[in-house]
Amino acid sequence: MMRFVSTLHQIRRFKPMLWLVPFMLLFYMFQLAPMCWVVLNSFIYEDEFGLDNYIEVLNSPFMLQAFSNSLWLSVWSSVIGLMIATLLVSSLRRVDCKVKDWVIAFTNMSSNFSGVPLAFAFIIILGTNGAITLLMKQYGVLGEFDLYGKWGLLAIYIYFQIPLGVLLLYPAFDALSDEWQEACALLGASTQQYWMKVVLPILFPALLGTFIILIANAIGAYASVYALTSGNYNLITIRIASLVSGDLFLEPNLAAAISVILMLILAMITFINQWLVAKSYTVAKQRK
């Protein structure tokens, strides 16, 4: 009887884990299994196992240009988006509660406004015959701005980076106390010294983490860019899509190799981020 009670108690202890089984199956089917398929098929070239797909990618100037364009757009849109989001969140801490709630609600809504609708909105506003484009050209402000080129894509990338940056940074800024700034002011510190010596060291891990998420968000963007340029701008996501859904050339194994290289780049960026975050925590402990 005691053994039965003990067994029943152990079953009840593991009962919550049974609820994880459906989520584990979904995670395997939609995350692990496709990833394993991509990695394995990236080494298959003409029904043989080898590194030919990777060699072809790394020796192709066209593919290297796609990686370069994607990284350029991702890094710069993340840097500019992070700066704007930081200023916006910092300002939100000083405004009325109702205004703050309204801005957060609008930011949450705009973070879901992406893909084809976002591209269509930019075409109407900043396209060749867009409303703002014609108005600014009339006053000679815009110059030779091209929405369908590098700078136009950077503008649309920055737009969908800002709401995500605000939503990720808001909890970190909300943890700051106004008393810290008052204490610094009493000790004779200026506002600049308060930000450089107190705020930025505290927010450094959150800023780095947000920066990495913004890069991952930008480098994987596809729908907005494709709708805006019809696939004519050389980005790595466009190249992957053309290799797996093109009408003339279907090379899923080559697309898998490109995807693995992209995953390795993101993994390296994430590793550097974790190393910098750990180093910042170590420095903070030493200061204490």
Side-chain angles (χ1 to χ4, degrees):
M1 185 66 181
M2 294 296 295
R3 183 177 296 178
F4 175 76
V5 173
S6 178
T7 304
L8 186 62
H9 181 66
Q10 290 179 357
I11 293 175
R12 288 179 177 176
R13 283 182 57 192
F14 289 103
K15 185 178 179 180
M17 296 184 63
L18 296 176
W19 295 102
L20 294 176
V21 173
F23 299 102
M24 293 172 64
L25 289 174
L26 288 174
F27 181 75
Y28 171 77
M29 289 189 296
F30 294 100
Q31 187 74 30
L32 292 181
M35 186 181 298
C36 293
W37 185 93
V38 167
V39 173
L40 290 176
N41 281 269
S42 67
F43 293 99
I44 298 176
Y45 183 81
E46 295 182 354
D47 298 328
E48 294 183 359
F49 201 79
L51 298 173
D52 300 80
N53 290 319
Y54 292 96
I55 294 173
E56 183 176 347
V57 172
L58 296 177
N59 288 334
S60 171
F62 188 60
M63 293 296 180
L64 294 179
Q65 184 192 47
F67 277 105
S68 176
N69 291 339
S70 294
L71 288 173
W72 187 89
L73 284 172
S74 301
V75 171
W76 280 109
S77 66
S78 299
V79 170
I80 299 173
L82 183 64
M83 292 172 61
I84 297 175
T86 302
L87 292 174
L88 180 59
V89 175
S90 176
S91 301
L92 281 178
R93 299 183 66 249
R94 305 297 180 186
V95 299
D96 183 70
C97 186
K98 292 182 179 180
V99 177
K100 183 190 301 184
D101 294 340
W102 184 86
V103 173
I104 293 297
F106 176 78
T107 303
N108 191 19
M109 180 190 68
S110 59
S111 65
N112 296 305
F113 183 67
S114 59
V116 178
L118 178 61
F120 181 66
F122 265 77
I123 291 173
I124 294 175
I125 297 173
L126 290 172
T128 305
N129 294 313
I132 296 180
T133 303
L134 295 177
L135 182 64
M136 296 182 73
K137 282 185 176 181
Q138 182 179 354
Y139 293 98
V141 177
L142 196 58
E144 298 298 325
F145 176 78
D146 182 16
L147 178 64
Y148 310 101
K150 179 172 67 173
W151 298 108
L153 288 175
L154 181 61
I156 198 171
Y157 269 61
I158 292 172
Y159 177 85
F160 67 69
Q161 294 281 58
I162 294 173
L164 180 60
V166 170
L167 294 177
L168 292 173
L169 287 176
Y170 184 77
F173 272 84
D174 200 41
L176 296 176
S177 176
D178 294 333
E179 296 177 355
W180 299 346
Q181 186 171 7
E182 294 174 1
C184 291
L186 289 174
L187 293 173
S190 62
T191 304
Q192 182 180 359
Q193 289 175 327
Y194 165 71
W195 275 90
M196 296 300 297
K197 300 294 184 180
V198 178
V199 177
L200 288 182
I202 294 174
L203 296 178
F204 185 73
L207 292 172
L208 269 181
T210 303
F211 180 69
I212 297 303
I213 295 175
L214 292 181
I215 287 181
N217 181 55
I219 206 170
Y222 171 72
S224 299
V225 179
Y226 187 83
L228 194 66
T229 65
S230 300
N232 294 323
Y233 195 80
N234 192 18
L235 292 178
I236 200 61
T237 50
I238 301 294
R239 297 282 67 80
I240 294 174
S242 66
L243 290 172
V244 298
S245 61
D247 296 330
L248 298 176
F249 302 103
L250 291 176
E251 298 183 70
N253 295 333
L254 184 61
I258 298 173
S259 301
V260 171
I261 295 174
L262 188 59
M263 286 190 291
L264 291 175
I265 292 174
L266 290 175
M268 182 180 66
I269 294 174
T270 305
F271 174 78
I272 295 173
N273 168 70
Q274 294 299 322
W275 178 76
L276 290 173
V277 169
K279 188 175 180 181
S280 68
Y281 280 132
T282 303
V283 173
K285 290 181 180 179
Q286 290 177 352
R287 288 178 177 177
K288 290 180 180 180

